[in-house]
Amino acid sequence: MELKATSLGKHLAQHPYNRVRLLHAGVEVSGEKHEYLIPFNQLIQVRCKRGIVWGELEFELPDEKVVRLHGTEWQETQRFYHFLQQAWQQWSAEMSDVSAGVLQQQVAQIKRIEQQDKWFKKSELGKLQQQIREAFSALPMPVARLEEFDNCRADYHLCLQWLQQGERSIEQRNRQWTERMLEQHHDFFQTVESSPLNDAQSRAVVNGEDSVLVLAGAGSGKTSVLVARAGWLLRRQEAEPGQILLLAFGRQAAGEMNDRIKERLGDVGIQAKTFHALALQIIQQGSRKAPAISRLETDAKARKELLITHWRQQCAEKKAQAKGWRQWLTEELEWEVPEGDFWQDKRLADRLASRLERWLGLMRMHGGSQAEMIEQADEEIRDLFSKRIRLMAPLLKAWKSALKEEGAVDFSGLIHQAVNILDKGRFVSPWKHILVDEFQDISPQRALLLAALRRQNKQTCLFAVGDDWQAIYRFSGAELTLTTAFATNFGEGAQCALDTTYRFNERIGEVANRFVQQNPHQLKKPLNSLSKGNKKSVTILPHEQLEPLLDKLSGYAKPDERILVLARYHHLKPEALAKAATRWPKLDLEFMTIHASKGQQAEYVIIAGLHEARDGFPAVARESVLEEVLLPQPEDFPDAEERRLLYVALTRAKHQVWLLQDRERPSVFVDHLRELGVPVQKKP
């Protein structure tokens, strides 16, 4: 059947199309120079319109395209439209049955996902959405028409929901699954730890994303979550014990974790390791060698002696080197250096030893050549940095020679070797799940080891607990952005927050949380306390009031209640503590640096040394250009890490905290705390 424009209509319309012909399953619109074939499987709508004199047909196509035919006689137009509609609707009815079958298969797949007894991962959403797109592309009619057909409409809506609102659909589906798990396994969450897990802890434990970061504030039970996570994987048979890798940042922490697992889960065969123990295992199995760890890594005295001996030798033998070191110490670090053979000065050598250790460690951690390190420096400081690297080069050479002579490796070399073995495919990772404690302390080098393990076994899931508010180890290479930009570094997944602390009261929590969050770079998270406290739970006192404070504490502190005295540096230990054993024999009193107090808790905490000075709090120690280049970049906020250090100190206390200030040279932190409503008293 065919419809043509009239001669007059054709002349007046001046349109490229003046004829339409009905085909078996489509129409052909043509003119003198143009021809357009429209199959029914591309046709969305046909409209018949009447102009002043002639008729008009309008064919709507995908992507808002429209083809029009003008100047046809009206009655002929109506008759053609009637036959076209009849043929198109009959074809559409048949094709809707085909479409319904395709959609039903896809909906069945979605239903299986919704009903499956496991977490639905975000990484799986992309695959599902691709399946839906492929199903839509296999339909014999435009997707936009599915709304018209009763046998397609509901299934189309469900597919469209997962395609357009996939993340919301995942959240809803996983929320429902989580509720079922918490109800079905109620006994597990009540008994897996010494006290029942709270709602936030339980939800973190069951989260099944490929990468999960659990932000856990001080005292919120992050170790409980790690232990419970291991128990959950075993209970649900998602992994065998040998497929679970638990990592801690020190041998003591790993040992404590193993004790906790044995106590709560029994002898299940899961062993926590340090990153270095993990690297050692990879090297042993991947190269069939058993590298020895250098005694220099465990013997601090031997390590310092080696570095100072070669530093002195370097200065004594080469005047240029001695001159370079004098300039480094006096001009950059602003130290007072004796005249003459300054390298023989014992006090200076003792002070420099820890710096040499740190600088050497950063160079070893970098692992690259001197040229690669220098290339990393910004152009304006590259020359100065190059000079510092050349001064350190003989010490680095001496260190490597000592390792070679000993036939051993250091910790940095251990991790570099392990990553190399993994990348060469010489070690097959058995781990499906990696659980990491204190994740905020991770360094780029350790992150490379995790990444290499996950590259080697792409099914490996990472479950990390940490607290960016307690990131206080930048000086040893820890990089905070590995935590704050977790998804960027370790893949899209989930971020959970533990919202209740079981340690300190509400007042201590309010002061500590508001104080650390004055830095806008810190991640925001709630942290509620179970006890109220009072306005004097955090108090500022003059530093000379320490003895009266301890006198007062001796009157009401019970023998089993611990009192921690903390300071920024060990040499700031208050002199009054020298007589503590006889003056206050009943007080359980202990001094440590704030860094050493990490992981500790006490009923009462006294923070000494809040004064402004190079060794004050916040410390204003000058950073070497070597550290500026090789250490992770700090946040653009004043005293960011020192602020986190004070947060750690405050949150060691269960009941009460006193901060001792020097009124003659007060710390800037005192003003910040006063702004938060912390009272300043003259006496305890």
Side-chain angles (χ1 to χ4, degrees):
M1 188 174 183
E2 190 174 77
L3 176 67
K4 297 179 181 179
T6 66
S7 297
L8 184 59
K10 179 179 174 182
H11 174 71
L12 292 175
Q14 293 293 306
H15 201 267
Y17 303 115
N18 54 46
R19 176 185 301 178
V20 60
R21 184 162 61 97
L22 179 60
L23 306 175
H24 171 65
V27 293
E28 181 186 73
V29 185
S30 61
E32 299 296 334
K33 298 179 180 179
H34 301 278
E35 185 177 284
Y36 203 121
L37 180 65
I38 306 173
F40 284 166
N41 65 9
Q42 292 182 10
L43 190 58
I44 293 176
Q45 186 61 269
V46 183
R47 299 179 185 90
C48 180
K49 301 179 181 179
R50 183 174 184 177
I52 298 174
V53 178
W54 293 283
E56 176 185 318
L57 283 179
E58 184 177 271
F59 303 94
E60 183 182 340
L61 306 177
D63 301 325
E64 299 181 352
K65 291 181 180 178
V66 176
V67 176
R68 293 184 179 91
L69 177 69
H70 295 275
T72 55
E73 199 276 325
W74 174 238
Q75 287 186 341
E76 290 295 317
T77 305
Q78 285 183 304
R79 192 163 70 90
F80 182 86
Y81 175 69
H82 174 72
F83 278 102
L84 172 59
Q85 280 288 87
Q86 209 171 26
W88 185 43
Q89 293 301 336
Q90 183 180 347
W91 178 90
S92 298
E94 293 175 9
M95 294 305 108
S96 73
D97 290 336
V98 177
S99 298
V102 174
L103 292 173
Q104 283 166 10
Q105 289 181 10
Q106 186 56 58
V107 165
Q109 172 67 12
I110 292 173
K111 293 294 184 184
R112 281 194 293 273
I113 288 170
E114 289 181 335
Q115 294 167 10
Q116 67 185 356
D117 186 23
K118 68 173 187 175
W119 184 275
F120 184 62
K121 299 178 181 180
K122 289 179 181 176
S123 59
E124 296 169 334
L125 175 62
K127 298 174 187 175
L128 175 61
Q129 290 179 329
Q130 183 59 31
Q131 289 175 3
I132 294 172
R133 291 188 193 97
E134 289 173 0
F136 282 176
S137 70
L139 296 176
M141 65 169 65
V143 173
R145 293 196 62 205
L146 295 174
E147 190 77 45
E148 302 173 25
F149 304 99
D150 292 341
N151 58 347
C152 296
R153 190 178 300 114
D155 290 346
Y156 168 62
H157 283 172
L158 182 61
C159 291
L160 204 61
Q161 176 188 326
W162 278 88
L163 197 59
Q164 296 179 345
Q165 302 174 1
E167 291 201 6
R168 188 185 301 176
S169 300
I170 281 182
E171 287 175 10
Q172 181 180 348
R173 184 261 170 213
N174 284 338
R175 197 180 304 117
Q176 293 168 350
W177 179 82
T178 299
E179 297 296 343
R180 289 203 309 273
M181 292 302 100
L182 298 188
E183 184 178 343
Q184 290 175 16
H185 300 275
H186 180 261
D187 61 321
F188 172 80
F189 296 107
Q190 291 291 305
T191 60
V192 68
E193 269 291 332
S194 53
S195 58
L197 298 190
N198 63 36
D199 188 65
Q201 290 173 321
S202 302
R203 290 177 186 276
V205 166
V206 304
N207 193 299
E209 289 295 341
D210 290 325
S211 301
V212 180
L213 173 63
V214 182
L215 290 171
S220 60
K222 58 180 176 290
T223 306
S224 296
V225 167
L226 271 184
V227 172
R229 174 70 168 191
W232 176 253
L233 294 173
L234 296 175
R235 183 183 180 95
R236 292 275 298 167
Q237 297 182 345
E238 293 183 28
E240 298 292 328
Q243 296 174 319
I244 300 171
L245 173 62
L246 191 54
L247 290 172
F249 280 86
R251 281 178 294 179
Q252 182 179 346
E256 291 171 357
M257 187 70 71
N258 285 327
D259 292 342
R260 189 82 163 263
I261 286 174
K262 191 170 184 179
E263 177 190 349
R264 302 313 311 171
L265 303 180
D267 194 4
V268 293
I270 298 175
Q271 280 289 315
K273 307 178 190 298
T274 65
F275 279 84
H276 298 128
L278 168 63
L280 190 62
Q281 178 183 345
I282 291 169
I283 295 169
Q284 287 172 338
Q285 295 184 18
S287 65
R288 296 183 181 178
K289 294 179 182 177
I293 306 297
S294 172
R295 70 181 183 88
L296 294 172
E297 288 287 15
T298 54
D299 188 338
K301 184 179 178 182
R303 185 167 62 244
K304 290 179 180 180
E305 187 177 329
L306 172 77
L307 294 175
I308 290 299
T309 298
H310 282 86
W311 172 71
R312 283 175 167 161
Q313 182 181 337
Q314 176 188 351
C315 291
E317 292 177 356
K318 296 181 180 179
K319 290 183 178 180
Q321 295 291 90
K323 182 181 178 183
W325 277 105
R326 178 181 288 278
Q327 287 178 337
W328 189 348
L329 300 179
T330 56
E331 295 176 11
E332 191 178 344
L333 298 183
E334 298 179 355
W335 287 8
E336 290 185 11
V337 175
E339 294 298 323
D341 296 345
F342 63 90
W343 53 89
Q344 298 296 346
D345 186 275
K346 185 178 184 305
R347 188 175 177 185
L348 177 66
D350 289 343
R351 186 181 183 186
L352 181 61
S354 59
R355 289 279 186 144
L356 294 178
E357 284 186 83
R358 188 189 309 174
W359 296 335
L360 179 70
L362 292 175
M363 293 173 71
R364 291 291 291 143
M365 202 179 297
H366 183 279
S369 65
Q370 292 182 36
E372 288 172 331
M373 291 184 211
I374 292 168
E375 184 64 29
Q376 187 176 318
D378 291 337
E379 196 169 335
E380 59 269 21
I381 60 171
R382 190 169 293 163
D383 287 344
L384 180 60
F385 178 71
S386 177
K387 291 177 182 177
R388 302 300 180 242
I389 289 291
R390 285 198 293 272
L391 286 173
M392 285 295 299
L395 299 182
L396 180 60
K397 184 178 179 181
W399 178 268
K400 289 179 178 178
S401 298
L403 294 180
K404 187 175 181 180
E405 186 178 331
E406 195 181 343
V409 295
D410 59 7
F411 287 151
S412 294
L414 202 65
I415 292 182
H416 282 301
Q417 283 187 40
V419 170
N420 190 37
I421 286 172
L422 285 167
D423 286 342
K424 288 181 178 178
R426 286 157 47 193
F427 176 85
V428 179
S429 171
W431 299 298
K432 290 173 62 178
H433 295 270
I434 300 176
L435 282 55
V436 186
D437 194 15
E438 300 289 359
F439 194 79
Q440 76 279 350
D441 296 334
I442 195 166
S443 65
Q445 193 185 35
R446 290 182 173 96
L448 283 175
L449 183 57
L450 288 181
L453 280 170
R454 298 184 80 195
R455 279 196 305 274
Q456 214 269 347
N457 184 347
K458 297 190 183 299
Q459 303 302 315
T460 302
C461 298
L462 175 63
F463 186 90
V465 298
D467 183 10
D468 64 301
W469 295 359
Q470 297 187 71
I472 57 173
Y473 291 108
R474 176 178 169 269
F475 66 87
S476 61
E479 185 166 345
L480 182 59
T481 56
L482 292 169
T483 301
T484 55
F486 183 79
T488 303
N489 292 292
F490 299 98
E492 188 67 31
Q495 183 173 296
C496 313
L498 305 187
D499 56 7
T500 303
T501 179
Y502 295 91
R503 180 182 299 158
F504 46 82
N505 60 48
E506 192 175 282
R507 178 56 180 163
I508 294 174
E510 178 193 2
V511 170
N513 296 359
R514 288 175 62 195
F515 177 76
V516 77
Q517 287 185 92
Q518 286 178 337
N519 177 357
H521 298 286
Q522 302 293 165
L523 298 174
K524 307 299 180 188
K525 54 182 177 283
L527 196 59
N528 306 310
S529 303
L530 299 178
S531 57
K532 286 287 184 185
N534 57 60
K535 193 172 183 181
K536 292 187 177 181
S537 293
V538 183
T539 306
I540 298 170
L541 288 173
H543 67 88
E544 59 267 20
Q545 290 296 311
L546 176 59
E547 289 191 33
L549 173 60
L550 293 174
D551 284 339
K552 202 166 185 179
L553 270 170
S554 67
Y556 63 83
K558 299 173 184 176
D560 61 346
E561 290 184 326
R562 190 183 187 195
I563 303 168
L564 274 180
V565 182
L566 306 177
R568 179 66 179 80
Y569 298 103
H570 202 277
H571 68 266
L572 295 178
K573 180 179 181 179
E575 293 179 2
L577 297 185
K579 55 188 175 186
T582 54
R583 174 84 176 264
W584 306 285
K586 294 291 186 178
L587 288 183
D588 182 6
L589 201 60
E590 186 176 357
F591 172 81
M592 61 180 66
T593 65
I594 300 174
H595 282 99
S597 76
K598 186 93 180 307
Q600 302 287 323
Q601 61 181 16
E603 279 69 25
Y604 306 101
V605 168
I606 301 167
I607 304 171
L610 262 76
H611 62 270
E612 185 175 343
R614 183 175 290 277
D615 63 350
F617 196 11
V620 291
R622 189 174 176 85
E623 196 169 78
S624 164
V625 69
L626 200 75
E627 294 162 316
E628 186 180 334
V629 174
L630 296 181
L631 276 176
Q633 291 300 304
E635 311 102 288
D636 185 19
F637 190 80
D639 305 314
E641 184 148 334
E642 296 292 301
R643 184 176 292 270
R644 290 191 290 271
L645 199 59
L646 183 53
Y647 169 83
V648 168
L650 289 167
T651 55
R652 300 310 93 194
K654 295 180 180 179
H655 304 320
Q656 200 157 1
V657 183
W658 293 273
L659 300 106
L660 305 182
Q661 67 154 327
D662 185 338
R663 289 180 293 186
E664 299 298 319
R665 39 182 193 149
S667 163
V668 66
F669 283 168
V670 171
D671 288 336
H672 296 165
L673 291 167
R674 291 177 69 176
E675 290 169 7
L676 297 176
V678 176
V680 179
Q681 297 182 182
K682 294 181 179 179
K683 296 180 180 180

